[in-house]
Amino acid sequence: MMAGKLAALLHTLRNGRALAAKQDISEAVAVFGRDACEGIRLGDDCAAIPDGDGYLLLASEGFQDSFVRAMPWFAGYCGVMVNVSDIAAMGGRPLAVVDALWSDTSEAAASILTGLHDGANTYGVPVVGGHTNMRSTHNSLSVAILGRARHLLTSFDARVGEVLIAAIDLRGCWHDPHPFWDASSALCGTDEAVRLRGDIELLPTIAEDGLSRAAKDISMAGLLGTALMLAECSGVGMTIRLEDIPRPETAPMERWLSAFPSYGYLLTACPENAAAIMDRFKERGIAAAVIGQVTDTRQLDVTWEDEKETFWDLARTPLMGLTP
């Protein structure tokens, strides 16, 4: 590898729009604080609300107008897909979604709602209500989801000495020009839907079997940005080996590290549980590998072949303002 290539790659990712958007979270944290109420921590993929012998999980996603206008059906589908992924990342199972839709025509609304309907059917999650306005000046969509977990996977429970596992479905394709690696929306048939639901089920069973306590789905922040968010919430550092990250053969490293996969998770685990976790994903055709370790440095360090660089020093510069 050309000397300095890793530093240049990390500089590009560090200064991209995806991480800048995550830094915006710090402004919300400044207003609301770190705890919404006793026992509920802000900054995770979902709010985990204690409920009986488990937790209700509540989350929402909003989509930029430009994306909704350019890909209305896919935006609707993603409204379910990404929310279901957030529920799974917390060790939960989805119960229902509601949406809030603004559109400038009924035709635009129909395409968005059809995508939402198809996503709901694919993942087996009913749309139980929402808000609709077809006389707006723009097209916007937000979707909220309710789920339930018996045992949580959280962003706050990665521990020093654990390994970091990446599990990503590589059986997809790019959704150009956006950074979406889509291994879901083309699979709307009955058999494929059953498989996708089974793939999602892996996360709650891993939590319930005590194999992991910490996880996060790979978001628009990309793999390194997602790892950074997990490290910040847990008050730890991480070292990641880029060559060990599951990656399609044709995907350049920079593009892959910026990708938002339809099915992609980071989990931490005790070294003795890593093989069992990876085997569960691999049995379903999902690539999984140990890509690094959890450290006490409060830094996210990255190695690639013979180079090593610090991607981010959380002790000096928090990302979301959630550092313990």
Side-chain angles (χ1 to χ4, degrees), residues 20 22 37 40 60-61 91 101 112 131 135 227 255 262:
K22 297 304 180 183
C37 61
I40 301 176
S60 66
E61 294 282 351
L101 168 67
I112 297 167
H131 168 87
R135 293 171 174 80
R255 188 175 194 191
S262 62

Side-chain angles (χ1 to χ4, degrees), residues 37-113:
C37 61
E38 186 177 354
I40 301 176
R41 296 176 289 189
L42 295 181
D44 222 329
D45 287 302
C46 305
I49 305 167
D51 181 62
D53 61 350
Y55 299 85
L56 289 174
L57 302 176
L58 184 62
S60 66
E61 294 282 351
F63 301 92
Q64 294 184 2
D65 293 3
S66 58
F67 172 51
V68 178
R69 185 174 294 278
M71 295 181 164
W73 180 90
F74 188 53
Y77 187 91
C78 285
V80 176
M81 181 184 74
V82 300
N83 270 306
V84 167
S85 185
D86 281 343
I87 294 291
M90 296 284 295
R93 297 175 177 87
L95 297 176
V97 299
V98 296
D99 71 287
L101 168 67
W102 294 264
S103 65
D104 52 7
T105 66
S106 60
E107 291 78 13
S111 185
I112 297 167
L113 291 172

Side-chain angles (χ1 to χ4, degrees), residues 127-151:
V127 179
V128 297
H131 168 87
T132 304
N133 184 328
M134 299 184 187
R135 293 171 174 80
S136 176
T137 58
H138 61 283
N139 294 324
S140 295
L141 175 69
S142 63
V143 181
I145 190 166
L146 182 68
R148 201 169 200 290
R150 297 191 184 102
H151 296 275

Side-chain angles (χ1 to χ4, degrees), residues 93-297:
R93 297 175 177 87
L95 297 176
V97 299
V98 296
D99 71 287
L101 168 67
W102 294 264
S103 65
D104 52 7
T105 66
S106 60
E107 291 78 13
S111 185
I112 297 167
L113 291 172
T114 298
L116 189 70
H117 175 266
D118 291 344
N121 282 348
T122 297
Y123 287 98
V125 187
V127 179
V128 297
H131 168 87
T132 304
N133 184 328
M134 299 184 187
R135 293 171 174 80
S136 176
T137 58
H138 61 283
N139 294 324
S140 295
L141 175 69
S142 63
V143 181
I145 190 166
L146 182 68
R148 201 169 200 290
R150 297 191 184 102
H151 296 275
L152 290 178
L153 298 171
T154 83
S155 297
F156 301 97
D157 291 304
R159 296 289 183 265
V160 174
E162 293 183 326
V163 296
L164 180 66
I165 298 168
I168 309 172
D169 192 343
L170 303 183
R171 298 165 294 186
C173 59
W174 295 109
H175 226 109
D176 293 324
H178 303 284
F180 306 137
W181 179 258
D182 184 8
S184 175
S185 72
L187 307 176
C188 293
T190 301
D191 292 342
E192 292 85 358
V194 170
R195 179 179 72 77
L196 289 171
R197 296 178 197 180
D199 293 345
I200 289 294
E201 178 69 12
L202 288 173
L203 280 300
T205 57
I206 285 171
E208 289 162 6
D209 290 343
L211 296 176
S212 175
R213 296 171 299 184
K216 206 160 185 66
D217 73 330
I218 300 172
S219 69
M220 287 294 291
L223 189 147
L224 293 184
T226 301
L228 184 62
M229 296 163 71
L230 177 56
E232 181 176 24
C233 288
S234 290
V236 298
M238 292 181 180
T239 299
I240 293 177
R241 299 179 297 274
L242 297 191
E243 56 264 42
D244 292 337
I245 295 171
R247 175 168 59 111
E249 292 182 1
T250 58
M253 182 64 79
E254 181 178 332
R255 188 175 194 191
W256 189 240
L257 291 177
S258 302
F260 178 17
S262 62
Y263 189 101
Y265 297 91
L266 298 179
L267 305 94
T268 69
C270 297
E272 59 268 25
N273 290 331
I277 291 173
M278 292 187 292
D279 285 347
R280 294 192 183 198
F281 288 107
K282 292 175 181 178
E283 286 169 2
R284 299 192 61 83
I286 298 165
V290 172
I291 64 168
Q293 286 78 37
V294 181
T295 70
D296 62 358
T297 64

